[in-house]
Amino acid sequence: MTKPEWAVRKKEEAGAGGYEIRLLAPGRGDDASCLRFPALLRAESREGERETVAVDSAEAAGGALRAAGKSARFEAETRWTFANDECPYYDVTVELAYTGELPSAWNVQIEADLLGEGRPDWMIPGAFYKENRFESNLRQYPRYDYEGGDASRMVSDYWAFRADRAALPAVFAWNDHLCGALCADETSATGLNGLGFRGNADGTRIWLNFPYREEPVTFVGSAVPAPADIAAYTFRPGERVTLHFKAYVGSPDPHAYNPFVRQMYKLHKSGHALNPWMRLEEAAELTAHGLYTWHYSPEHRILYETAAFDREFNNNVKGMGDRPHMHVGWVSGAPYAYSLLTYGAKNGNKDYMEAGAAVIDKVASGLAPCGTFWASWIVDKGWTAGWNPRRDWLQARTIAEATLFMARALKFEKERGAPRPEWEKALLSNLRFAAGCQREDGNFGSYYNSGSGTVEEWDGAGGMLWIAALLEGASLLAEPAFAEAAVRAGGYYEKFIRNEYIYGAPEDVHLTPTSEDAYNAVAAYVALYEFDRNDEWLALASSAADWMMTFRWSYNLEFPRHSLLKQYDYRSRGADQASTSNQHLHNYGLFCVPEMLRLWTYTGDKYYLDRTRDHISCFLQFIAREDGDFNAYKGMVTERFYNTNCFQPKGMMLTLSHSWCIGLILYASQEALAYADDLDLRGVAE
């Protein structure tokens, strides 16, 4: 990439004094399209007073740009140092002095304008993508609207957030000519930092706050927002504070975030250590015990979706802490039964084998009139359609995931010499449905009528995982038409990857960009590459993996001193944000651990190995090692670690064990063993 250049320009606005700093777009000879810093910083007091520290002087010295300025109560000296490693960027240090005569609380903002034509797109990794929520979305959470909107309904042309909402504390903006980004650490000398952006007819701006601001409202996980939250730092007379940030200018390519994300990860990796509590073998042993002991119901042949940590409380509320439901995929069902079955067979545990097979028998028995699996089974209700916009709709991803693991379980049993005709019948029924409902352009649709099989909604990428299921089914059942359907689908769903906006995977967050969409894309396109070795599929798998890493924490959060996660020294590096709507850390990325490791071997890109190691290591924490460990029972695993002020206070943990969280650790621990030397988790865990 061409080295970006800086330019210092005299301010052109009438009556404006001083200069502005411009970082030029790569490959452009002029500064009409650039990242422009109109001032060194702006400050707002708790009482509403405002000051601007203009660029009074700027000069190049020793390979760096030095700029300085002052206002009534602040003086700032900045040093802009160019670096070029994974990508070109600027490392900026701000020496800020408070010259006021009395202590005063202020919020400091460093901002940059994205100059050039075109309406903006946005990314705050893990927290905000493009408009972030469609107008028709059934779930309420922050949405961007160029025209403004109604903040009470969480629609606005500007947003500012706490840094701990972001997997990487960076804000990206695009126009037709360039991508610009600012990145800071989670915290600074002023406290918890913040990120923000604004885009409307007046222009496009991104910024960093020291400390954070959340506005125009605060998203706390519900449809009703909390008021804006404006933090302030109390400066003392004569106090000096040092702030740091990074600035980046890239091409207008939607994938232009990737070099900078990789660069920031490389810097964070050296300063944010991993802390797995155990090795893969111990994790598998514990989670097999936990899944069987706390979630398997021999009476109903299901894996309960949740089990309460507090068993006494659970008894007092008539078992309501234990959810006697089972989805066939996603949050319970076939994937985790498969993991229990395979672990039992490999380790000579007959109870685990029988339990896993019984659950898969149950799933296979639950075919809806349309020919697919029902989505869930509930005690006293039987088979149901799941958590969907309508009671008679089935969601494609849930069904496709159950089908994929039904195929894997059937293959495993056939190789052991144990035919399962009912499993094969159910598998064939689902795959024939998928191939039959596919549109001419390759789209499988996202929601189906459980009775008629009619596709009720075509939007989204919820059907993408059918690709992997069809390919594995084609090989296992010798049905080449299934593979042909998968290839057609690969051509259709690639647009979501190229647009860097994949949405529609989970049932509970309607048409929302999620980390789970990224996992499905990686699994689907690695499978396509393995089918016909088309390099285009491998490139798409890599691109999806890069997008997935925008949901993955590159750093360790600073949790409140007395919180559980702080006391247990929980390291968040490697955890994934569930979605922009469900803002908490989760382990669902373990679903595509085998595909990510194979992607690394195919591409030779060590970044994929490193970040997969991070994810595995992160979730070798908080597996209950014995009864009473973090107030749980042996083998239990939570679904949620709270990283910010969403749903619960930062540093808390949901006190429910989830079958999918246990099951995915069991699954990934077994799959990763073949790569144990490359992952070097033994060395990390010791």
Side-chain angles (χ1 to χ4, degrees):
M1 181 187 290
T2 304
K3 171 185 171 181
E5 299 288 348
W6 59 55
V8 178
R9 295 285 184 263
K10 190 77 173 175
K11 282 199 169 180
E12 298 175 355
E13 301 98 277
Y19 303 87
E20 60 187 27
I21 297 170
R22 297 188 175 196
L23 303 185
L24 279 58
R28 297 183 68 89
D30 61 77
D31 60 0
S33 301
C34 66
L35 196 60
R36 177 183 66 182
F37 293 80
L40 295 181
L41 58 90
R42 303 186 192 277
E44 181 177 341
S45 74
R46 187 167 281 157
E47 291 74 31
E49 299 173 279
R50 296 180 179 178
E51 294 190 8
T52 298
V53 179
V55 183
D56 295 333
S57 64
E59 62 178 1
L65 175 67
R66 293 181 179 273
K70 62 182 179 179
S71 63
R73 279 165 284 198
F74 291 96
E75 293 181 354
E77 296 182 1
T78 64
R79 178 181 173 88
W80 303 63
T81 304
F82 175 73
N84 193 354
D85 186 9
E86 295 288 328
C87 69
Y89 68 98
Y90 288 90
D91 191 340
V92 186
T93 300
V94 181
E95 298 290 347
L96 182 62
Y98 178 67
T99 59
E101 295 181 355
L102 296 173
S104 186
W106 293 79
N107 185 282
V108 173
Q109 184 163 300
I110 296 172
E111 56 197 26
D113 297 320
L114 199 71
L115 301 188
E117 297 175 350
R119 291 193 176 191
D121 273 331
W122 315 104
M123 178 193 286
I124 296 177
F128 210 101
Y129 294 81
K130 297 184 183 289
E131 65 190 275
N132 206 45
R133 170 168 64 90
F134 296 120
E135 192 171 4
S136 61
N137 196 296
L138 300 177
R139 193 176 176 114
Q140 293 265 83
Y141 58 95
R143 177 173 181 264
Y144 166 72
D145 187 339
Y146 184 86
E147 304 299 333
D150 180 356
S152 69
R153 297 178 61 82
M154 287 187 280
V155 182
S156 176
D157 61 358
Y158 78 101
W159 285 98
F161 300 107
R162 295 160 48 127
D164 57 11
R165 292 187 187 271
L168 172 69
V171 53
F172 291 83
W174 283 260
N175 62 22
D176 293 346
H177 301 289
L178 74 153
C179 167
L182 302 175
C183 181
D185 289 333
E186 179 201 5
T187 61
S188 66
T190 65
L192 178 61
N193 298 330
L195 318 143
F197 62 82
R198 181 192 300 271
N200 53 36
D202 293 331
T204 299
R205 174 166 288 183
I206 56 177
W207 63 79
L208 303 170
N209 289 116
F210 303 91
Y212 72 89
R213 302 170 69 103
E214 294 225 294
E215 52 185 348
V217 292
T218 300
F219 176 55
V220 293
S222 71
V224 179
D229 179 11
I230 312 298
Y233 175 76
T234 300
F235 287 89
R236 306 293 175 183
E239 182 175 4
R240 300 185 68 87
V241 168
T242 302
L243 305 175
H244 300 277
F245 70 94
K246 308 288 192 297
Y248 166 74
V249 183
S251 76
D253 184 342
H255 204 63
Y257 66 84
N258 182 49
F260 192 56
V261 171
R262 287 176 177 240
Q263 179 66 68
M264 295 301 99
Y265 171 71
K266 185 175 182 179
L267 296 176
H268 286 169
K269 186 170 68 166
S270 62
H272 295 267
L274 303 170
N275 185 32
W277 294 3
M278 61 194 68
R279 297 178 179 178
L280 291 169
E281 295 88 345
E282 183 182 358
E285 181 181 358
L286 284 169
T287 50
H289 169 86
L291 192 61
Y292 177 80
T293 304
W294 308 115
H295 292 269
Y296 176 57
S297 167
E299 176 186 0
H300 302 297
R301 297 182 299 150
I302 67 171
L303 294 173
Y304 273 33
E305 289 176 359
T306 65
F309 282 12
D310 189 332
R311 307 308 296 163
E312 181 183 12
F313 167 82
N314 187 65
N315 293 334
N316 290 338
V317 295
K318 300 179 181 179
M320 288 189 292
D322 295 351
R323 186 192 301 161
H325 304 177
M326 180 181 74
H327 271 70
V328 297
W330 184 40
V331 292
S332 190
Y336 319 115
Y338 165 78
S339 301
L340 192 60
L341 168 66
T342 56
Y343 183 83
K346 294 170 186 174
N347 292 275
N349 189 311
K350 185 178 179 182
D351 289 340
Y352 294 172
M353 291 173 62
E354 291 179 349
V359 172
I360 298 174
D361 282 341
K362 180 88 169 193
V363 172
S365 73
L367 292 179
C370 68
T372 72
F373 295 124
W374 283 106
S376 71
W377 188 90
I378 301 174
V379 170
D380 297 330
K381 290 186 179 180
W383 292 108
T384 74
W387 306 338
N388 297 309
R390 289 185 50 176
R391 294 178 62 184
D392 58 349
W393 286 15
L394 293 164
Q395 202 254 12
R397 181 279 189 92
T398 299
I399 305 306
E401 187 175 284
T403 304
L404 174 63
F405 280 88
M406 182 69 72
R408 291 175 179 177
L410 178 62
K411 181 181 179 183
F412 181 79
E413 289 291 82
K414 280 189 170 184
E415 289 173 350
R416 289 198 318 117
R420 300 283 188 173
E422 292 305 310
W423 298 7
E424 186 164 341
K425 178 182 176 183
L427 174 64
L428 192 59
S429 179
N430 278 272
L431 295 177
R432 284 176 174 167
F433 172 86
C437 78
Q438 187 179 36
R439 206 164 62 183
E440 188 175 337
D441 63 0
N443 187 357
F444 291 115
S446 292
Y447 291 91
Y448 313 123
N449 186 285
S450 59
S452 66
T454 301
V455 177
E456 300 281 5
E457 185 166 287
W458 290 100
D459 194 11
M464 188 187 291
L465 198 59
W466 279 122
I467 293 172
L470 284 160
L471 288 171
E472 294 199 23
S475 174
L476 182 64
L477 303 175
E479 290 273 359
F482 293 159
E484 293 169 8
V487 170
R488 281 196 303 275
Y492 174 79
Y493 289 106
E494 73 172 270
K495 69 180 183 180
F496 292 90
I497 299 173
R498 295 193 186 282
N499 194 35
E500 306 290 339
Y501 198 65
I502 317 174
Y503 58 90
E507 286 184 14
D508 62 340
V509 285
H510 181 242
L511 301 181
T512 295
T514 75
S515 53
E516 295 176 47
D517 288 282
Y519 312 148
N520 293 342
V522 169
Y525 284 87
V526 167
L528 282 166
Y529 175 71
E530 291 172 336
F531 170 67
D532 63 11
R533 300 293 164 166
N534 183 333
D535 287 342
E536 191 60 36
W537 302 139
L538 187 62
L540 288 163
S542 298
S543 185
D546 293 336
W547 193 71
M548 183 172 93
M549 297 314 166
T550 69
F551 288 89
R552 183 156 296 173
W553 249 252
S554 63
Y555 64 99
N556 290 326
L557 286 155
E558 185 58 50
F559 292 105
R561 177 183 176 187
H562 298 297
S563 67
L564 182 73
L565 297 185
K566 179 69 171 180
Q567 292 299 309
Y568 274 80
D569 193 23
Y570 175 71
R571 311 289 178 86
S572 59
R573 178 181 145 200
D576 286 354
Q577 182 95 293
S579 72
T580 60
S581 177
N582 272 345
Q583 292 186 7
H584 60 81
L585 308 184
H586 77 167
N587 73 2
Y588 216 112
L590 297 171
F591 165 82
C592 63
V593 158
E595 288 84 2
M596 283 300 301
L597 291 171
R598 299 203 301 274
L599 180 63
W600 162 63
T601 62
Y602 299 144
T603 63
D605 190 340
K606 192 172 180 292
Y607 177 71
Y608 299 138
L609 175 66
D610 289 344
R611 302 215 70 179
T612 303
R613 177 193 296 116
D614 288 0
H615 192 60
I616 296 170
S617 295
C618 183
F619 294 103
L620 295 179
Q621 302 173 103
F622 278 100
I623 304 167
R625 295 158 289 195
E626 58 190 23
D627 292 348
D629 195 3
F630 57 87
N631 221 37
Y633 282 76
K634 181 180 176 181
M636 286 185 169
V637 177
T638 186
E639 176 199 8
R640 296 184 174 196
F641 301 89
Y642 296 106
N643 55 289
T644 188
N645 63 332
C646 193
F647 301 110
Q648 299 268 36
K650 182 179 181 178
M652 288 185 70
M653 181 177 68
L654 184 67
T655 55
L656 285 177
S657 178
H658 276 251
S659 62
W660 69 265
C661 303
I662 296 179
L664 281 173
I665 295 174
L666 178 59
Y667 172 66
S669 294
Q670 295 181 79
E671 294 291 330
L673 276 174
Y675 297 84
D677 290 342
D678 299 303
L679 289 165
D680 194 25
L681 291 167
R682 296 176 186 272
V684 175
E686 289 175 346

